[in-house]
Amino acid sequence: MQISDLFFVASMPVLKTLLLTTLGSFLALDKVDVMGENARKQLNSVVFFVFSPAIVGSNLAKTITLESIVLMWFMPINILCTFIIGSVLAWILIKVTRAPRHLKGLVLGCCAAGNLGNLPLIIIPAICREKNSPFGDPEICHKYGMTYVSLSMATGVVYFWTYIYNIVRVSSSKINNEEFISSKTYSNQEAPLLCEKTDGIDKVVLILVYQELGAISVLQKTIRCLKAIPRKLNLKALFAPSTTAAIVGLTIGMVPRIHNLMIGDAAPLHVVEDSASLLGDATIPTVTLIVGGNLLRGLKGSSAVPLSLIAGIIAIRHLFMPLLGIVIVKAAVNAGFINSDPLYQFVLLLQYALPPAMNIGTLTQLFGAGESECSIVLFWAYALASVSLTLWTTFFMWLVA
């Protein structure tokens, strides 16, 4: 196919996304107030607990088998590479720009975690439905494309809530601890000051008591840390609804008896899978409207974010990550780690070119570290993603077709 045809195919899903995103922003305006802050939060809860698990579980159940799992073994590793590379580049950006302490977790999160769920759910089906799509029959493309996207979403959820969650949590807790310690500076210095005013044995006793209290404090902190390990692992967040649905979908797909019982028009319990698919179909438009409403906050952001940080995050997500992704995926193809399916290779490449995950905003709101700054960063990242995604999608299709 000619590059102009590929560019047309790549631009269609982005234009559709922009239209729905614009509509979401319009509905979130104060004058309209159809999708105000409370409405978006409630819709987001419905997506998180109902729509996303439905689309992940139903697509995995319909298409996943033991053979396909073996063929897709490289995808979790590829997604892990996106998190590791993004973290390294973010660390370099923080050092170069000397980012404020309260924004370090935000920078690491935005650079490491891409939107592995929502945008691929929009892009892949739209490309498959296009007349000049390089991936063949629309039905087959949609079937396997949604399988790749569902596995990508499920894997991304696990990595996000085990890695990014703890990065933002630790970053915010350090800031809070430093503020607490600074407020207690005088009381911590009382023992040395008393020692200077005392002579002889009394001075030695006071020094020993002070040292003993310090040792007890360290021991108490260690015990508290050990007790907090189960809470810090956040198992509840790790087994988010989408992750649980992915496990259920994988089980249904890989166990033939359960698969024959639930999947297919002749299956006795096919109504369960049909209902899940019906709910899953509502995921894409709902999520896109929510994204549009949330991005509106970026225009209203009052906190100033250093221009160097915004430019650095955009460069990492929209330039350096896709370039490094091409190197990694092509190396894996040449080494025989990846099967020859062009659509599969395209999804692997796309995982490097996505803008930051929208859940970053949820974390900054939860821990109270850089919430308003996050809205500004996401606004510019997604505004420029309309251009970068079109160009990279065109190039990726040309590369694998």
Side-chain angles (χ1 to χ4, degrees), residues 17 20-22 24-25 28 35 40 44 115 118-119 122 284-297 358 378-379 382:
T17 304
L20 289 178
T21 304
T22 304
S25 299
M35 288 187 62
R40 291 198 305 273
N44 202 32
N115 194 332
N118 301 341
L119 284 181
I122 300 169
I284 296 174
T286 306
V287 165
T288 312
L289 291 174
I290 293 173
V291 168
N294 288 336
L295 290 181
L296 188 65
R297 296 177 58 190
M358 292 299 298
L378 290 181
F379 171 79
Y382 276 79

Side-chain angles (χ1 to χ4, degrees), residues 14 39 43 167 202 226 244 263 291 293 300 346 355 363 368 375 379:
V14 177
L43 269 179
I167 282 179
D202 292 338
L226 292 175
T244 305
I263 307 301
V291 168
K300 301 178 180 179
F346 173 78
L363 291 185
S375 298
F379 171 79

Side-chain angles (χ1 to χ4, degrees), residues 24-89:
S25 299
F26 173 76
L27 294 176
L29 291 173
D30 295 334
K31 295 181 179 180
V32 180
D33 199 24
V34 174
M35 288 187 62
E37 186 174 355
N38 292 332
R40 291 198 305 273
K41 287 181 179 179
Q42 292 178 2
L43 269 179
N44 202 32
S45 298
V46 175
V47 171
F48 182 72
F49 288 104
V50 181
F51 292 163
S52 291
I55 195 171
V56 170
S58 61
N59 282 288
L60 289 177
K62 284 187 290 187
T63 55
I64 285 293
T65 61
L66 286 174
E67 293 78 9
S68 62
I69 283 291
V70 173
L71 293 175
M72 293 190 296
W73 68 270
F74 185 76
M75 182 175 287
I77 298 176
N78 190 66
I79 296 175
L80 180 61
C81 289
T82 67
F83 278 76
I84 294 174
I85 293 172
S87 299
V88 173
L89 294 177

Side-chain angles (χ1 to χ4, degrees), residues 17-259:
T17 304
L18 282 175
L19 288 174
L20 289 178
T21 304
T22 304
L23 177 60
S25 299
F26 173 76
L27 294 176
L29 291 173
D30 295 334
K31 295 181 179 180
V32 180
D33 199 24
V34 174
M35 288 187 62
E37 186 174 355
N38 292 332
R40 291 198 305 273
K41 287 181 179 179
Q42 292 178 2
L43 269 179
N44 202 32
S45 298
V46 175
V47 171
F48 182 72
F49 288 104
V50 181
F51 292 163
S52 291
I55 195 171
V56 170
S58 61
N59 282 288
L60 289 177
K62 284 187 290 187
T63 55
I64 285 293
T65 61
L66 286 174
E67 293 78 9
S68 62
I69 283 291
V70 173
L71 293 175
M72 293 190 296
W73 68 270
F74 185 76
M75 182 175 287
I77 298 176
N78 190 66
I79 296 175
L80 180 61
C81 289
T82 67
F83 278 76
I84 294 174
I85 293 172
S87 299
V88 173
L89 294 177
W91 181 81
I92 296 173
L93 176 64
I94 290 172
K95 294 298 181 182
V96 171
T97 60
R98 297 180 180 179
R101 290 188 177 184
H102 71 286
L103 295 182
K104 289 183 179 180
L106 172 63
V107 175
L108 283 165
C110 288
C111 293
N115 194 332
L116 295 167
N118 301 341
L119 284 181
L121 278 175
I122 300 169
I123 293 173
I124 299 302
I127 288 178
C128 289
R129 285 193 296 266
E130 286 299 319
K131 182 179 179 180
N132 294 325
S133 173
F135 301 120
D137 181 77
E139 294 296 328
I140 297 176
C141 174
H142 184 273
K143 176 182 177 181
Y144 288 99
M146 292 306 293
T147 303
Y148 302 148
V149 171
S150 298
L151 183 60
S152 173
M153 175 188 288
T155 307
V157 165
V158 174
Y159 288 155
F160 184 90
W161 290 106
T162 53
Y163 179 58
I164 302 300
Y165 173 88
N166 285 291
I167 282 179
V168 178
R169 178 187 59 78
V170 170
S171 176
S172 61
S173 64
K174 284 183 178 179
I175 298 171
N176 295 332
N177 288 339
E178 287 177 359
E179 292 176 353
F180 176 79
I181 290 173
S182 63
S183 66
K184 298 295 181 180
T185 302
Y186 177 78
S187 61
N188 289 337
Q189 294 176 347
E190 286 179 351
L193 290 174
L194 288 173
C195 291
E196 292 177 0
K197 298 177 182 179
T198 312
D199 295 326
I201 297 177
D202 292 338
K203 182 176 181 179
V204 175
V205 170
L206 283 173
I207 292 175
L208 291 175
V209 169
Y210 180 68
Q211 291 176 346
E212 184 68 21
L213 289 173
I216 293 174
S217 177
V218 172
L219 180 61
Q220 289 174 341
K221 289 180 181 179
T222 304
I223 294 174
R224 284 199 301 268
C225 290
L226 292 175
K227 289 182 178 179
I229 287 176
R231 185 181 71 254
K232 291 180 178 181
L233 286 176
N234 197 20
L235 295 179
K236 183 179 180 180
L238 174 60
F239 289 99
S242 294
T243 309
T244 305
I247 296 172
V248 174
L250 290 171
T251 303
I252 295 173
M254 291 189 295
V255 179
R257 291 186 178 180
I258 304 179
H259 184 275

Side-chain angles (χ1 to χ4, degrees), residues 354-386:
L354 298 168
M358 292 299 298
N359 282 335
I360 298 294
T362 304
L363 291 185
T364 56
Q365 182 181 15
L366 177 64
F367 295 111
E371 180 183 355
S372 57
E373 292 89 343
C374 180
S375 298
I376 299 173
V377 171
L378 290 181
F379 171 79
W380 288 109
Y382 276 79
L384 295 176
S386 59

